Amino acid sequence: MDQIIDHASNAPTPFAAALVDIHDGTIVTTASNTVHDGDPTAHAEINALRQAAADGHDLTQCLLVTTAECCPMCAAAVGWTHISGVAYGTSIPTLACLGIPQYPLRLREVLTAPVTAAPIEAGLRRAACDQLFTRWAAATLPPRRLGLPMTFGAGRTDGFRAVTPYLTATDSRALIAFYQEAFKARQLSLETNDGMVTHAEVLIGDSVLQIHDELEGLRGESPATLGGISVTFSLYTDHLDSVCQRALAAGAVVHTPPTDAPGWGCRFAWITDPGGHGWTLISRLHEPVRTLPKQPAHILGAESASVKPIGADRPLQGRSQADDIRPSTPPASTQP
């Protein structure tokens, strides 16, 4: 890979590929992306395969090494050669993040049976390859295509915030039903494949939540699979007690019942939904004081370890009944 990186460093683009003999490790051929010469199919991988084939090499006895993950066109070509394997540095998601246009189809999705199931090594000298593409993108692509927009939320779909949570659930339909009952949510969309929810959107107040089932190939695991949670949602409402009661009736577990925290200027409750996701329900009492007196534990909402969470005796979707998590103070989001 070091020789390929050196080759790419001196080429018009960092897209470079080489074919290596699997028996003696010698480089059969090295090629660059030459689409700038007028052939839109002249990607580095295609050029390397064409050159090696023209020179009479047996491609089935070669390993393809590239600075970047193959696009679907190159991946299909590689598959038809029945090559011994592929190793690459920079991934398609990284290229897309840098603003380099990419099809979302990954190499592993193309190199499958019955055509070929060639082994793939991802991330070979990834840091060095990523640096190549980062420098090239910064020097070549328009600034507007690099990284995040200068104003967060620019280009988002109407109705979405700059940051939109995407939940993974063991049963998205049941979770949506809970949100509809407890939080008066409105279902905006629901997409399925073979009965599984691949994407859904619900509107709670003025905020959209996206949800999908645990599916192979989609990132994210449900709290049930993780055995816990790392994120808690804050839901602001003027009717905290009634919302908490509806949530309990719909299947939530209430860990901290509605509690006044005068020092924080709020009343709050802490629950987990049937999918195991955490929610802090908050309503404002007044402007919080800037210098907080030390509060007794019961004012801040802490509970004795012997207190059983309300609703914890019902069967839960995606949460162990023994997993009793309670905050010792109100959520950070309510602090001044």
Side-chain angles (χ1 to χ4, degrees):
M1 177 62 93
D2 289 334
Q3 295 181 50
I4 303 170
I5 291 174
D6 289 340
H7 176 87
S9 299
N10 299 309
T13 79
F15 291 95
L19 287 168
V20 180
D21 190 294
I22 61 173
H23 300 290
D24 57 20
T26 59
I27 295 179
V28 171
T29 185
T30 303
S32 300
N33 182 304
T34 57
V35 296
H36 52 274
D37 291 336
D39 180 359
T41 68
H43 289 197
E45 299 91 332
I46 299 291
N47 289 341
L49 294 173
R50 287 172 175 167
Q51 185 174 326
D55 292 341
H57 292 286
D58 183 357
L59 298 182
T60 65
Q61 303 302 302
C62 292
L63 171 72
L64 178 67
V65 182
T66 68
T67 52
E69 183 176 356
C70 301
C71 73
M73 176 187 72
C74 295
V78 168
W80 286 115
T81 65
H82 300 284
I83 207 164
S84 291
V86 181
Y88 67 83
T90 298
S91 68
I92 283 177
T94 299
L95 294 175
C97 184
L98 292 172
I100 304 171
Q102 296 294 311
Y103 285 100
L105 194 63
R106 303 295 300 275
L107 177 62
R108 64 176 179 271
E109 299 175 74
V110 179
L111 293 187
T112 57
V115 177
T116 185
I120 300 169
E121 180 180 352
L124 181 64
R125 294 296 311 277
R126 180 177 59 189
C129 291
D130 287 356
Q131 188 177 40
L132 273 179
F133 286 100
T134 300
R135 288 201 302 262
W136 178 76
T140 307
L141 300 180
R144 64 182 177 82
R145 289 175 55 185
L146 292 180
L148 293 172
M150 292 299 292
T151 301
F152 290 107
R156 67 182 184 272
T157 304
D158 289 343
F160 285 77
R161 302 289 184 175
V163 177
T164 300
Y166 209 141
L167 307 186
T168 302
T170 53
D171 188 343
S172 296
R173 290 182 177 87
L175 199 57
I176 292 171
F178 168 81
Y179 294 148
Q180 290 172 324
E181 180 67 23
F183 303 150
K184 304 301 181 185
R186 180 162 61 92
Q187 181 176 304
L188 302 178
S189 67
L190 182 72
E191 300 172 15
T192 63
N193 184 21
D194 291 334
M196 303 295 289
V197 176
T198 56
H199 180 79
E201 295 171 3
V202 296
L203 181 67
I204 301 176
D206 60 358
S207 302
V208 174
L209 280 183
Q210 297 176 323
I211 308 168
H212 68 77
D213 286 338
E214 284 184 315
L215 297 168
E216 184 178 354
L218 287 181
R219 291 190 179 275
E221 296 177 322
S222 71
T225 301
L226 292 174
I229 59 175
S230 62
V231 174
T232 297
F233 299 98
S234 295
L235 178 61
Y236 292 86
T237 174
D238 293 330
H239 309 284
L240 185 146
D241 289 67
S242 61
V243 170
C244 189
Q245 291 170 10
R246 286 204 310 268
L248 177 62
V253 174
V254 178
H255 298 276
T256 302
T259 304
D260 286 348
W264 301 97
C266 74
R267 181 172 174 80
F268 76 100
W270 198 82
I271 69 172
T272 47
D273 63 32
H277 305 94
W279 291 81
T280 303
L281 312 179
I282 305 168
S283 63
R284 290 289 185 183
L285 294 177
H286 52 72
E287 286 301 314
V289 294
R290 294 299 174 182
T291 302
L292 299 177
K294 186 174 181 179
Q295 301 284 353
H298 71 279
I299 295 297
L300 291 178
E303 301 174 83
S304 166
S306 63
V307 177
K308 187 176 183 181
I310 302 170
D313 54 347
R314 69 162 60 92
L316 300 179
Q317 170 211 326
R319 188 170 183 83
S320 168
Q321 296 184 29
D323 187 12
D324 180 11
I325 304 172
R326 302 180 182 86
S328 59
T329 63
S333 59
T334 65
Q335 299 180 18

